Amino acid sequence: MTAAPGRRSSTFTRLLRHGFTDASAAERLLDSVELAPLRDDPVLLDALGATADPDLALLGLVRLLEAQPHPGARRELLDTLISAKPLRDRLLGVLGASTALADHLTRHPDDWQALVTYEARDLHPGVAEFEAGLAPADDPVSLRVAYRRCLLSIAARDVCGTTGVAESAAELADLATATLRAALGLARAAAPEDAALCRLAVIAMGKCGGHELNYVSDVDVIFVGEAVEGADETKAIRAATRLASHMMRICSETTVEGSIWPVDANLRPEGRNGPLVRTLASHLAYYQRWAKTWEFQALLKARPVAGDLDLGAEYVDAVQPLVWKAAERENFVSDVQKMRRRVVENIPAAEVDRQLKLGPGGLRDVEFAVQLLQLVHGRTDPSLRSGTTLDALKALAAGGYVGRSDAAQLDEAYRFLRTLEHRIQLFRLRRTHLVPEDEAELRRIGRSLGLRTDPVADLLREWRRHATVVRRLHEKLFYRPLLDAVAQLATGEARLSAEAARERMVALGYADPASALRHLEALASGVTRKAAIQRTLLPVLLGWFADSADPDAGLLNFRKVSDALGKTPWYLRLLRDEGAAAQNLARVLSAGRLAPDLLMRAPEAVALLGDGDGGGLSPRPRAHLEQEVLAAVNRADGAAQAVTAARGVRRRELFRTAAADIVGSYGTEEQPAEADQGALVDRVGTAVSDLTAATLAGTLRAVVRDGWGDELPTRFAIIAMGRFGGHELGYGSDADVLFVHEPRDGVDEREASQAANKVVSEMRRLLQIPSADPPLLIDADLRPEGKSGPLVRTLTSYAAYYRRWSLTWESHALLRAEPVAGDADLGRRFIELIDPLRYPADGLGDEAVREIRRLKARMERERLPRGADPKLHAKLGPGGLSDVEWTVQLLQLRHAAREPGLRTTRTREALAAARSAGLITDEDAATLDEAWVLATRVRNAVMLVRGRAGDTFPSDPRELAAVGRYLGHNPGHVGDMLDAYRRTARRARGVVEELFYGVAER
């Protein structure tokens, strides 16, 4: 039929809107004689648009109509298709998802009738229904046709969402059971004399045994044979072997209707080298003497499905006790772990990233982890003895062996991955576990999973997300801490042997296992509720400690915190019930000295690590901090008590900042490590700087109130300098400041100066008094005339000095000046005073530039500590903080007058502004930024790990490893970390040589 002008365009657009990718071809198909009656029927177009691949569904429908034997059959199909929504959804859903089933329908055009009925009994068929569906088959070819017809109904319910993936997998296993029975029936009918000699049981293994079969998978079996009464055993086993072999061929061989699936008996004793059929006694003798660990793991899923079911039940009953003793075998856990690693290592490199089953984060990760936990804990807990992965996972969660959240995430991920596997296999009914690379195939699969907006991108994102979840949880469950030791327990034994526990602690990386075991005993012994909760928490906590560079310190610190808070009702409840709290605490306690030291001084700060009302780990705004500090100061009696309260707030907030930094750097099971290292640095710098400003504001208020009441005789302001002014303070940074005052009206200048100096003196004293809280050192050495000049000046004095005596280095230092406390108006006027100095209208003259370069070169020579490796010095070494900051500040001094974006105290902001202004290339800016961020992270890491400030990498191996973990390097990769630092710094130094030392004028 020829479309009228304009009509094609309209139809073409509608087809595209309904998801067709080749609208021209679709138009031609819709114009075909077969579909002429429905050419403009919106019901058909809507139904096609709802399928995984509308183009494929339309083509399959036309082929099916063409295959109908006469026009009446074609009309019947079309009428039923339009009038019966269940058929429409099922038939078109299958045609849009599977070319293999479309081919089957084309060869057997009446089989669409199998999808018409929609009764309750049709929705969840079992073995009996499938046996009835296969009953007419009397030879291998007709069995294949009947099998595909049954498979068609399973696929239709699957793609339409009538059944979930677990139900579909169970139906596929039931269909396999019925098919094995039918195939064995054909084999017995072909050799009645053999059938009369023996009893033969077919035991399903693997996914078929577990009731979780794929669309296309080997069906794993084991055969058990016995002689009938009065028959010779040898002859009977030979007869059983012939029957078993014939049954396998019926299922596996390719005919004009293809094959069903291979039947694989290689899980039998001795594998392919062993006899195909054994007696029950022979099986037991082998398992008791020769079987390897993996064979017991495989027997978890053993289920009699065909042949002599009584004999099959005897077999399962006989081997089950051996299965549940397997965990008592020497090296059981390590054997299973090694087997899993070998599977991953044997995947071809080109396939690893696409392997849905065997690759990291794949289906096998879930299955191995669940089976390992079943074998270990199923000895004493029969509720875990299920061959179905999802049922076993549910039982493990119900029994407390797996956390509810972990189990829910694994369940969701496993269902997604199995559904993805089903959709991939269903297309051509071929056995594959590789995610395709072809975009059209990915689009079809994505749409089949309900991802319609951007099917390809959404599918890949969901797959990676679930694979990441599986991999992360698999590591936790499969290598679960203390699992090996638990596996050594004899049934009924309540305690680990000391030697087994010691060995396990050593394997986890504990340097002092004896002390570690004492800590465990102190924490977990007894019958109290507290001890019971600790016994639940400790296995997981120990694994998180073991994932750090210093597990011993983590466990010791955990004991200290638990001793301090053990009687507090909320503490253990927080760790048990709030998912993030326990892992956050484990990370914080084992990442170094600073955070645990801060926590030990006030253990109740543990509450910050949870998800509840403690404020969490998000940094608090400066205004909120200042409000809290000032409120605490106002409640206190006297300046000393007030500053103690302010320092207590500072300690708590330092802990919050450090904990957030550690958790962000390590990542958790819920949240991966922060990818943006610059964001981590900025958060720490801003949080510590804001906290320092709030502490100074509170201390100033306390001192003024204690000495003068409500008002000081002189206006007083604190100006942040250096890293403080740049919002870039680290954990161990001093507070670089300037003090400025201005006598109030009628106040003698001498009296005002004495008051201002007394304020500064008292503030410094109170902030450094030895106490449980870390001191805050105030450094005013950047003031005019340095240490030789007065500590406090009036605004007028500053103006006079800067007008007559200011040196280039002082203009340089003033680039980072920012008021942080005291009289806001005075602070603003100070900034107005210095702006012409730090942003000179004409930029810098050549002599000033040379002076800055000379100062920088002299600093590099004189200030680098003797014996330090310059290439690894984060502050003064080549490509370190000083290099980057002086380079950026030189650009500010030269260009900020005409480039407003450069008028910032923050290094990274100024660097970004210079790039936007074209003063530095994107590549050079990125190089400097990367180096500055890394050097800052190194300094933060050293303080977190050692508990004291430092600019170089630690020499102690454990401390160095801890710095590496913080910086994102896995254990054993310290050398990579140092090489990465040198490489980054070397590139930055090259940019500094060009921009700062004048190889190219900017």
Side-chain angles (χ1 to χ4, degrees):
M1 184 172 71
T2 304
R7 171 145 177 221
R8 176 182 178 83
S9 175
S10 173
T11 305
F12 191 90
T13 303
R14 287 174 59 208
L15 290 170
L16 290 176
R17 191 168 61 248
H18 279 80
F20 288 84
T21 56
D22 189 348
S24 298
E27 274 193 300
R28 289 193 295 273
L29 290 172
L30 287 170
D31 284 337
S32 64
V33 173
E34 290 76 18
L35 279 178
L38 302 180
R39 176 65 176 77
D40 296 313
D41 195 316
V43 172
L44 175 62
L45 205 56
D46 288 344
L48 288 167
T51 66
D53 188 335
D55 300 86
L56 191 66
L58 177 58
L59 177 61
L61 178 59
V62 171
R63 291 177 62 205
L64 177 57
L65 289 167
E66 290 173 343
Q68 296 304 306
H70 51 79
R74 190 180 307 147
R75 278 196 306 274
E76 180 186 5
L77 172 55
L78 286 175
D79 290 345
T80 310
L81 187 72
I82 295 303
S83 63
K85 187 177 187 304
L87 171 70
R88 188 164 62 247
D89 292 344
R90 291 181 180 190
L91 179 58
L92 295 181
V94 167
L95 293 174
S98 175
T99 58
L101 289 177
D103 291 344
H104 170 83
L105 284 168
T106 302
R107 291 194 305 273
H108 305 280
D110 289 338
D111 277 4
W112 67 268
Q113 302 275 2
L115 304 180
V116 172
T117 54
Y118 194 76
E119 303 297 333
R121 64 178 179 274
D122 301 312
L123 298 184
H124 302 291
V127 175
E129 287 77 15
F130 288 126
E131 283 189 294
L134 300 178
D138 54 6
D139 59 50
V141 173
S142 60
L143 180 60
R144 280 154 175 70
V145 175
Y147 173 83
R148 288 290 174 93
R149 188 181 304 119
C150 293
L151 190 67
L152 179 67
S153 66
I154 294 175
R157 288 188 294 275
D158 180 9
V159 299
C160 291
T162 306
T163 54
V165 65
E167 292 81 3
S168 298
E171 290 181 13
L172 289 166
D174 285 341
L175 176 57
T177 295
T179 305
L180 289 171
R181 292 178 182 180
L184 182 57
L186 293 176
R188 291 169 66 90
E193 64 283 1
D194 284 345
L197 281 177
C198 64
R199 302 170 64 196
L200 176 64
V202 182
I203 311 298
M205 304 287 284
K207 282 188 162 52
C208 184
H211 233 71
E212 50 191 20
L213 197 60
N214 301 327
Y215 277 102
V216 187
S217 174
D218 291 357
V219 172
D220 297 310
V221 299
I222 285 176
F223 296 105
V224 185
E226 296 286 353
V228 299
E229 188 175 349
D232 177 76
E233 183 177 286
T234 302
K235 292 181 179 178
I237 295 301
R238 288 175 182 166
T241 300
R242 287 191 291 271
L243 289 173
S245 298
H246 190 189
M247 186 204 81
M248 293 174 69
R249 289 196 303 275
I250 289 172
C251 295
S252 305
E253 286 182 346
T254 301
T255 70
V256 292
E257 288 290 341
S259 66
I260 300 176
W261 20 246
V263 177
D264 189 341
N266 289 336
L267 292 178
R268 65 186 184 270
E270 300 179 75
R272 65 184 62 205
N273 297 319
L276 183 64
V277 182
R278 288 177 183 259
T279 63
L280 178 56
S282 176
H283 275 283
L284 290 177
Y286 172 84
Y287 287 127
Q288 288 167 345
R289 189 171 184 183
W290 304 110
K292 297 179 176 63
T293 297
W294 69 264
E295 292 175 279
F296 293 109
Q297 187 178 359
L299 285 170
L300 265 174
K301 296 183 177 293
R303 179 172 66 94
V305 292
D308 192 317
L309 296 181
D310 290 336
L311 177 58
E314 290 178 46
Y315 169 85
V316 171
D317 290 343
V319 300
Q320 285 301 296
L322 302 178
V323 171
W324 301 114
K325 290 181 180 178
E328 298 170 11
R329 293 162 61 91
E330 186 177 0
N331 300 323
F332 162 74
V333 172
S334 59
D335 282 350
V336 177
Q337 292 171 346
K338 288 176 184 174
M339 181 168 65
R340 171 64 189 130
R341 283 193 290 268
R342 279 198 300 272
V343 169
V344 175
E345 289 164 1
N346 289 333
I347 302 172
E351 296 182 1
V352 169
D353 291 337
R354 297 195 294 129
Q355 251 291 350
L356 197 60
K357 178 180 179 181
L358 303 178
L363 292 162
R364 189 57 60 86
D365 273 350
V366 181
E367 293 159 359
F368 264 63
V370 168
Q371 290 165 22
L372 179 58
L373 290 169
Q374 282 183 277
L375 290 170
V376 170
H377 299 296
R379 292 172 295 162
T380 54
D381 189 346
S383 71
L384 305 181
R385 299 176 184 179
S386 170
T388 305
T389 300
L390 290 176
D391 289 348
L393 181 58
K394 183 178 179 181
L396 285 165
Y401 304 104
V402 175
R404 290 189 300 274
S405 174
D406 292 348
Q409 289 185 72
L410 273 182
D411 183 283
E412 180 189 6
Y414 189 72
R415 289 176 189 272
F416 176 85
L417 295 173
R418 285 301 306 273
T419 303
L420 179 55
E421 181 185 47
H422 278 191
R423 296 293 192 268
I424 292 170
Q425 293 184 347
L426 183 59
F427 184 49
R428 295 187 180 90
L429 287 181
R430 292 180 184 172
R431 183 172 182 261
T432 178
H433 305 288
L434 294 178
V435 176
E437 295 177 298
D438 179 72
E439 185 162 333
E441 293 193 42
L442 292 171
R443 180 178 184 274
R444 184 193 67 253
I445 295 167
R447 284 176 56 89
S448 78
L449 297 176
L451 306 173
R452 298 300 171 93
T453 304
D454 189 351
V456 176
D458 291 346
L459 171 65
L460 294 177
R461 182 172 57 253
E462 282 296 291
W463 172 37
R464 295 303 180 195
R465 180 175 72 84
H466 285 296
T468 299
V469 167
V470 169
R471 189 60 183 166
R472 191 168 65 243
L473 293 179
H474 165 261
E475 295 289 358
K476 174 181 173 182
L477 300 177
F478 189 60
Y479 300 100
R480 187 170 182 170
L482 291 183
L483 202 54
D484 196 19
V486 174
Q488 301 299 322
L489 284 169
T491 304
E493 186 178 343
R495 290 177 62 90
L496 303 176
S497 72
E499 181 60 22
R502 191 197 71 80
E503 289 177 357
R504 180 56 178 166
M505 297 305 262
V506 171
L508 282 169
Y510 287 84
D512 186 354
S515 294
L517 289 171
R518 285 197 299 273
H519 299 324
L520 285 180
E521 185 175 5
L523 288 163
S525 59
V527 294
T528 64
R529 183 172 177 275
K530 169 186 169 184
I533 296 176
Q534 289 281 25
R535 285 193 292 271
T536 301
L537 292 170
L538 277 167
V540 180
L541 287 168
L542 287 170
W544 288 327
F545 293 148
D547 191 38
S548 73
D550 196 348
D552 299 81
L555 181 55
L556 172 61
N557 289 330
F558 180 66
R559 181 181 176 184
K560 289 179 179 178
V561 173
S562 295
D563 287 346
L565 295 176
K567 295 182 180 179
T568 307
W570 56 263
Y571 167 61
L572 290 176
R573 186 170 65 244
L574 172 80
L575 299 185
R576 183 193 63 192
D577 297 340
E578 294 203 26
Q583 189 175 9
N584 289 347
L585 180 62
R587 292 291 187 225
V588 167
L589 294 180
S590 56
R593 295 178 184 174
L594 178 64
D597 286 350
L598 292 169
L599 180 60
M600 296 309 168
R601 292 165 184 169
E604 64 276 5
V606 165
L608 299 176
L609 299 172
D611 303 320
D613 298 328
L617 296 180
S618 299
R620 299 178 64 203
R622 176 171 161 183
H624 291 183
L625 291 171
E626 193 165 316
Q627 183 180 23
E628 180 183 2
V629 169
L630 292 176
V633 166
N634 290 335
R635 290 192 299 269
D637 294 327
Q641 188 182 100
V643 175
T644 297
R647 289 175 66 180
V649 173
R650 178 171 177 265
R651 180 206 61 240
R652 184 197 67 212
E653 295 303 319
L654 277 175
F655 172 74
R656 188 198 303 268
T657 303
D661 190 16
I662 291 166
V663 171
S665 297
Y666 273 73
T668 66
E669 293 178 1
E670 300 296 330
Q671 185 71 37
E674 172 67 67
D676 185 352
Q677 305 291 295
L680 284 171
V681 165
D682 290 344
R683 280 200 291 272
V684 171
T686 299
V688 178
S689 301
D690 286 349
L691 180 55
T692 300
T695 305
L696 291 177
T699 304
L700 176 60
R701 169 77 64 85
V703 171
V704 170
R705 189 187 65 176
D706 201 49
W708 294 272
D710 292 335
E711 187 175 88
L712 196 64
T714 184
R715 294 180 180 85
F716 186 92
I718 302 174
I719 311 298
M721 300 288 286
R723 304 185 75 77
F724 184 17
H727 300 261
E728 297 161 359
L729 284 180
Y731 299 109
S733 300
D734 297 346
D736 290 318
V737 298
L738 299 178
F739 298 107
V740 57
H741 79 103
E742 183 179 64
R744 296 186 184 277
D745 293 341
V747 176
D748 179 72
E749 188 165 327
R750 182 173 180 181
E751 178 191 350
S753 178
Q754 288 176 342
N757 277 280
K758 186 174 180 180
V759 166
V760 173
S761 175
E762 188 66 1
M763 285 183 67
R764 299 177 84 174
R765 183 185 72 82
L766 290 171
L767 288 170
Q768 295 179 47
I769 291 176
S771 74
D773 302 314
L776 175 57
L777 303 179
I778 296 177
D779 187 340
D781 290 352
L782 292 176
R783 64 188 183 270
E785 303 178 72
K787 293 180 181 180
S788 304
L791 197 58
V792 189
R793 287 177 181 261
T794 64
L795 185 62
T796 303
S797 176
Y798 274 108
Y801 174 85
Y802 287 139
R803 186 169 55 251
R804 294 187 62 187
W805 307 110
S806 177
L807 300 175
T808 302
W809 73 264
E810 291 175 303
S811 297
H812 187 188
L814 288 170
L815 282 168
R816 311 186 83 178
E818 181 175 288
V820 289
D823 189 294
D825 180 66
L826 180 59
R828 179 185 56 77
R829 286 186 283 132
F830 179 85
I831 295 301
E832 290 174 353
L833 169 68
I834 65 171
D835 272 353
L837 291 171
R838 58 182 180 172
Y839 309 137
D842 297 325
L844 286 186
D846 291 343
E847 181 55 36
V849 171
R850 285 192 290 271
E851 176 63 19
I852 289 175
R853 289 170 178 164
R854 282 195 295 269
L855 282 171
K856 175 76 169 67
R858 190 177 73 191
M859 187 180 70
E860 289 179 9
R861 290 193 305 271
E862 297 176 359
R863 294 180 60 185
L864 193 70
R866 182 174 298 175
D869 181 352
K871 294 180 180 178
L872 293 176
H873 198 281
K875 182 177 181 181
L876 301 176
L881 292 173
S882 177
D883 265 3
V884 176
E885 290 168 0
W886 282 62
T887 300
V888 172
Q889 289 157 12
L890 181 59
L891 289 172
Q892 290 180 281
L893 287 166
R894 300 180 69 183
H895 303 287
R898 62 176 183 273
E899 293 292 343
L902 290 171
R903 299 172 199 168
T904 174
T905 62
R906 302 174 188 239
T907 302
R908 298 188 73 210
E909 278 189 10
L911 184 57
R915 184 187 66 233
S916 298
L919 301 173
I920 181 173
T921 66
D922 289 351
E923 182 180 357
D924 286 351
T927 298
L928 293 182
D929 186 70
E930 180 186 10
W932 188 89
V933 166
L934 179 57
T936 304
R937 294 266 294 157
V938 169
R939 297 180 86 210
N940 286 344
V942 171
M943 184 66 187
L944 285 169
V945 169
R946 302 180 68 191
R948 60 182 187 273
D951 296 315
T952 60
F953 289 89
S955 56
D956 178 81
R958 281 220 162 186
E959 292 179 345
L960 189 60
V963 169
R965 291 306 310 279
Y966 172 84
L967 294 178
H969 295 272
N970 290 326
H973 291 268
V974 166
D976 293 342
M977 171 185 68
L978 298 178
D979 288 345
Y981 180 84
R982 292 188 186 98
R983 187 166 55 251
T984 302
R986 185 171 60 249
R987 288 199 302 265
R989 180 64 177 194
V991 176
V992 171
E993 292 283 358
E994 178 185 348
L995 294 181
F996 184 83
Y997 286 110
V999 174
E1001 285 295 327
R1002 298 276 173 146

